[in-house]
Amino acid sequence: MGRKKVQRPRPNAKPGARAVDPNKIRLSVVIPAYDLEDCIADCLDSVLAQDVGKIEVIVVDDRSTDGTWDTICSYAKRYEQIVPIQLPKNAGPSAARNAALDVARGEWGHFCDGDDSVPEGAYQELLRVAEEEHADLVTGNYSRRYPSENGAVRPFSHYCAPTGKERCFESGNTTLWNKLYRRSLIEKQHLRFETDMRCMEDLLFYNQLLLEDPTFAYTDMSVYIYTEPVTRPSDGNIRFANMDCATGFDKTWRTTLSS
């Protein structure tokens, strides 16, 4: 069970903290992308700006129909941290994330969507807490960006449970991207995303991680910026989206409870 952390990030590790091997990949960032030519650069810039030592940024293009892949390749030419992958056919975010996990080499892992971003200092704080607390999973708060309000960013979550374990079960804290994971926790059972689920595949993956009985920790810092979708489905699509969600919830809980 995680112990309570300080509420502000500290720039220096406390005495006795494990030294970071500069030759070892410290963090693998998994970014699926599809038709995001207008925002993938902002996402990559926010990740590359994190000062955490050696990282790899695995960007998987799900056969975009716009200039997303060209942007990814342009970044890969300029930054050695970028690992570009293009799927042979459009297969969805689960397949994209799985392709990244199959090549990831970092000690820690983070999932970042290509239309979102990571605030300054977020990875430093998550890694600090993980390493000082010897945790397998660290959760934080997150903010939202509102494109319809000129890109305004405001705090959104306000998790306040007193331990890391309780925070990971706190209402609404089921998203993948406001958390850092020890990658061996994922590879212990070779966990991957279900490619036949149209939604809730991230919730199933998260529940399967929790079943591995990780050591939890938390930070109060906002460690992620989620971009509020601009477009909404039509009334006809809402019906099918609700059916997909119901099917996803059903499979998630059946799988989780049978484990």
Side-chain angles (χ1 to χ4, degrees):
M1 184 176 292
R3 293 169 289 172
K4 188 170 183 180
K5 315 301 167 306
V6 295
Q7 297 187 9
R8 298 182 301 276
R10 297 194 304 242
N12 300 313
K14 64 184 180 182
R18 179 174 61 85
V20 176
D21 183 350
N23 298 313
K24 184 176 182 180
I25 296 178
R26 196 178 183 197
L27 175 65
S28 296
V29 183
V30 172
I31 305 178
Y34 178 72
D35 284 359
L36 298 177
E37 65 176 358
D38 61 335
C39 58
I40 187 65
D42 290 338
C43 174
L44 296 179
D45 286 341
S46 74
V47 171
L48 291 167
Q50 306 288 316
D51 183 15
V52 293
K54 194 169 185 178
I55 72 170
E56 59 179 5
V57 185
I58 310 171
V59 195
V60 184
D61 176 60
D62 190 20
R63 279 289 165 176
S64 296
T65 61
D66 62 3
T68 299
W69 178 240
D70 291 336
T71 300
I72 294 170
C73 291
S74 174
Y75 269 75
K77 290 178 181 178
R78 287 183 286 156
Y79 301 98
E80 63 179 8
Q81 301 96 317
I82 301 290
V83 180
I85 298 175
Q86 187 176 51
L87 297 185
K89 63 179 181 180
N90 178 256
S94 290
R97 293 188 184 106
N98 289 345
L101 288 175
D102 287 343
V103 301
R105 298 174 294 160
E107 181 178 1
W108 303 94
H110 178 248
F111 296 100
C112 180
D113 288 345
D115 53 352
D116 297 335
S117 59
V118 183
E120 182 180 357
Y123 286 164
Q124 291 94 322
E125 171 69 352
L126 287 167
L127 287 163
R128 179 192 68 77
V129 172
E131 292 167 353
E132 290 185 5
E133 298 296 323
H134 305 287
D136 300 313
L137 192 161
V138 181
T139 184
N141 280 293
Y142 66 94
S143 303
R144 285 201 176 200
R145 176 184 287 111
Y146 299 88
S148 61
E149 300 178 26
N150 296 318
V153 176
R154 294 194 292 272
F156 187 82
S157 70
H158 302 281
Y159 302 125
C160 58
T163 68
K165 186 171 186 178
E166 289 173 286
R167 288 207 182 189
C168 284
F169 285 93
E170 197 166 351
S171 176
N173 194 11
T174 58
T175 53
L176 282 176
W177 26 253
N178 65 322
K179 300 173 180 71
L180 180 77
Y181 310 89
R182 190 182 299 274
R183 197 171 61 81
S184 60
L185 179 71
I186 297 172
E187 295 304 325
K188 182 179 178 182
Q189 298 296 334
H190 193 68
L191 293 180
R192 293 296 186 267
F193 291 86
E194 291 283 346
T195 57
D196 61 346
M197 295 177 68
R198 294 176 63 89
C199 63
M200 302 300 166
E201 78 288 342
D202 50 351
L203 177 61
L204 174 56
F205 186 89
Y206 179 60
N207 285 355
Q208 290 174 314
L209 278 174
L210 296 184
L211 289 173
E212 293 302 311
D213 193 27
T215 301
F216 301 88
Y218 75 88
T219 175
D220 289 318
M221 182 178 176
S222 177
V223 297
Y224 195 80
I225 301 174
Y226 171 81
T227 301
E228 184 76 6
V230 176
T231 58
R232 299 299 184 195
S234 65
D235 291 342
N237 286 333
I238 289 175
R239 174 174 175 269
F240 291 108
N242 287 340
M243 291 173 62
D244 288 338
C245 287
T247 301
F249 268 123
D250 180 69
K251 181 167 185 177
T252 294
W253 294 118
R254 286 179 183 272
T255 304
T256 302
L257 294 175
S258 65
S259 299

